Amino acid sequence: MTFASKRFVLKRIAVAAAIAGLGSVAAQAMAQEAPKSIRIGWAIAKTGVNAGGTSVTTAPNYKLWVKEINDAGGILLKAYNKRVPLEVIEYDDRSSTEEAVRATERLITQDKVDFVLPPWGTGSNLAVGPTYEKHKYPLLAATSVTDKAPDLAKRWKHAFFFLGTGGEYAEGLVALLEKAKKDGKINNKIAMINIADGFGVELANATRKAAKQHGFELVYDKSYPIGTQDMTPVINEAKGKGADTFVAYSYPPDTMLITEQARTQGLAPKVMFTGVGTQFPMFKGKFGAAAEGMMAPGGIDASNPQMQAYLKRFKEVTGQESDRFASPIVYTSLQMLQQAIERVGKIDRAAVTQELKAGSFETVLGTVKLENQMLTKLWHVGQWQNGEFNAVAPTTRAGAKPAVIPRVTP
């Protein structure tokens, strides 16, 4: 072989090697191609008894979050140096825990979504929890109040609880009542009713313990079934017990009914504390001046700039007011999920779950860091005051407003 021939062969080899190298780089680039979307699924109550709470607290925040992310081009995945939009697959769980479980399983195993957002309500969140855990999907239980949360967080390594425990809310309320009792504003008698669901049962149990510890007498204590259409019998019974404080651990339809029928039947305690729904804008819209002084779980620090900005965005996008209890909590959980995904930089549920456990996040509530998979800095009692549902307990927390006791009834 001549020298020229050798040079020609060597060049051919070099060119072939270069092409092979380029092919390898191209193959690697293809392997690292960003997904076309991040698939988000949810099964929520569009119909049934839970539809009211869902339509106020859960669905609007999910839609707001998706719109804001997609308007910005998507979630930034650093592994691909690209923003990837959200794609949503949704189902109606029809307010059935069984259907919520089936739909969640379908989202994970058939639709192959990357993340699943939870349904509304304590019972539904607890029902779907084992499905999330089985498939190792993070559960952002932002509308679940349960004393089981600390134990469940130990068993369910992928579950996160954002609304605290029934014991915390009961203690917050009864401690506030004890101060009013010592100041001579109310007597030591409490009348209490609760919905026969996980939320109502746990909060009622916790209140019984707290009342005893703080020197209150529970003079009336009765549960009622889901779907009750007439509260006048229990209201009339409670009215005759001489209690200055009336407590109802209720869901939205019941809350509206209890408040309306209490007015009709002349139940006007010095402290009236009702459940989920009291914090909703439609409650203020329905009862007007009669809403003033009403108490319930939750509340907000309306002076917080992040909260003000969130309330403004919520109304602009959804066309409705945000509730003043779980809505900001739901949105906070979504902000945390987005930030965790962006820090991980790719769709890696195990890494995202770990980041949710360990990270600090900037949210509408301020800087948030979970403790043992739980959000612990919460408002336990709020009150309608001059048209805003202000947080009043814990009284020692910055942003708390003084409670108005006795409430002024129109």
Side-chain angles (χ1 to χ4, degrees):
M1 184 181 291
T2 64
F3 179 72
S5 298
K6 287 182 179 179
R7 287 182 62 187
F8 176 75
V9 170
L10 289 172
K11 283 183 178 180
R12 292 283 299 271
I13 293 171
V15 170
I19 292 172
L22 288 172
S24 175
V25 170
Q28 186 175 5
M30 288 178 64
Q32 292 294 318
E33 185 179 354
K36 290 183 174 57
S37 65
I38 299 173
R39 290 163 63 82
I40 302 291
W42 60 68
I44 57 178
K46 298 180 181 181
T47 57
V49 294
N50 290 344
T54 300
S55 66
V56 172
T57 298
T58 301
N61 280 292
Y62 287 1
K63 292 174 182 177
L64 171 63
W65 183 66
V66 170
K67 176 176 169 50
E68 289 184 333
I69 287 176
N70 286 345
D71 284 353
I75 290 180
L76 178 61
L77 300 183
K78 294 184 295 184
Y80 317 101
N81 192 30
K82 183 178 179 181
R83 289 190 175 275
V84 178
L86 301 181
E87 175 188 354
V88 173
I89 299 173
E90 58 181 317
Y91 296 110
D92 180 6
D93 70 20
R94 306 198 301 271
S95 300
S96 162
T97 55
E98 292 83 2
E99 181 56 31
V101 172
R102 283 193 293 268
T104 300
E105 185 78 28
R106 184 161 62 248
L107 285 165
I108 293 172
T109 61
Q110 297 180 28
D111 298 316
K112 307 291 185 182
V113 298
D114 297 307
F115 297 94
V116 182
L117 303 183
W120 178 89
T122 300
S124 295
N125 273 264
L126 297 184
V128 300
T131 304
Y132 280 77
E133 188 63 19
K134 178 176 69 173
H135 295 288
K136 299 182 179 179
Y137 274 61
L139 168 62
L140 306 174
T143 59
S144 176
V145 178
T146 174
D147 284 332
K148 299 183 181 74
D151 291 333
L152 289 174
K154 293 176 184 176
R155 288 166 42 202
W156 295 347
K157 303 301 182 183
H158 301 79
F160 302 91
F161 296 91
F162 290 82
L163 275 190
T165 68
E168 291 168 341
Y169 287 93
E171 176 62 26
L173 170 62
V174 180
L176 187 72
L177 295 177
E178 184 181 26
K179 173 67 165 56
K181 182 181 68 172
K182 288 180 177 177
D183 291 343
K185 296 179 179 179
I186 59 173
N187 63 22
N188 72 331
K189 296 180 180 180
I190 298 174
M192 180 176 71
I193 63 174
N194 68 275
I195 189 169
D197 184 37
F199 166 82
V201 171
E202 290 204 15
L203 279 160
N205 286 338
T207 301
R208 291 182 191 104
K209 296 177 184 177
K212 185 176 181 180
Q213 292 171 352
H214 289 271
F216 282 89
E217 180 185 0
L218 207 57
V219 295
Y220 187 72
D221 183 359
K222 190 166 186 177
S223 67
Y224 62 88
I226 296 172
T228 298
Q229 299 297 311
D230 184 9
M231 293 289 181
T232 55
V234 294
I235 287 171
N236 283 330
E237 289 174 7
K239 187 175 69 171
K241 299 298 182 179
D244 282 344
T245 301
F246 176 82
V247 175
Y249 291 119
S250 48
Y251 270 165
D254 327 321
T255 297
M256 302 297 171
L257 186 62
I258 289 165
T259 306
E260 179 63 40
Q261 294 185 341
R263 295 177 65 202
T264 302
Q265 299 302 314
L267 175 64
K270 294 178 179 179
V271 175
M272 188 161 179
F273 181 101
T274 43
V276 183
T278 314
Q279 318 87 339
F280 292 2
M282 64 182 180
F283 184 92
K284 179 178 67 172
K286 179 177 177 62
F287 295 109
E292 283 292 301
M294 291 287 291
M295 292 185 181
I300 64 168
D301 175 7
S303 65
N304 177 350
Q306 294 103 316
M307 182 63 66
Q308 290 176 348
Y310 162 73
L311 296 176
K312 183 173 183 290
R313 294 198 313 275
F314 188 101
K315 186 172 184 179
E316 288 174 349
V317 171
T318 68
Q320 62 190 70
E321 291 277 354
S322 165
D323 79 76
R324 267 53 171 177
F325 179 28
S327 262
I329 305 294
V330 171
Y331 191 77
T332 289
S333 74
L334 300 173
Q335 288 182 299
M336 292 171 62
L337 177 61
Q338 178 184 353
Q339 291 171 39
I341 294 170
E342 291 185 334
R343 290 172 191 174
V344 170
K346 57 183 178 179
I347 305 304
D348 182 338
R349 283 186 294 274
V352 168
T353 299
Q354 184 55 39
E355 181 60 29
L356 288 168
K357 289 181 180 180
S360 294
F361 305 89
E362 295 306 315
T363 76
V364 297
L365 302 180
T367 303
V368 168
K369 182 177 175 61
L370 301 183
E371 299 178 19
N372 299 318
Q373 298 165 228
M374 296 179 62
L375 182 62
T376 56
K377 293 182 179 178
L378 293 161
W379 293 113
H380 297 137
V381 184
Q383 184 179 43
W384 282 109
Q385 300 175 345
N386 299 316
E388 183 56 85
F389 194 68
N390 291 317
V392 297
T395 58
T396 55
R397 186 176 167 190
K401 295 286 193 297
V404 177
I405 300 176
R407 69 189 185 103
V408 178
T409 54

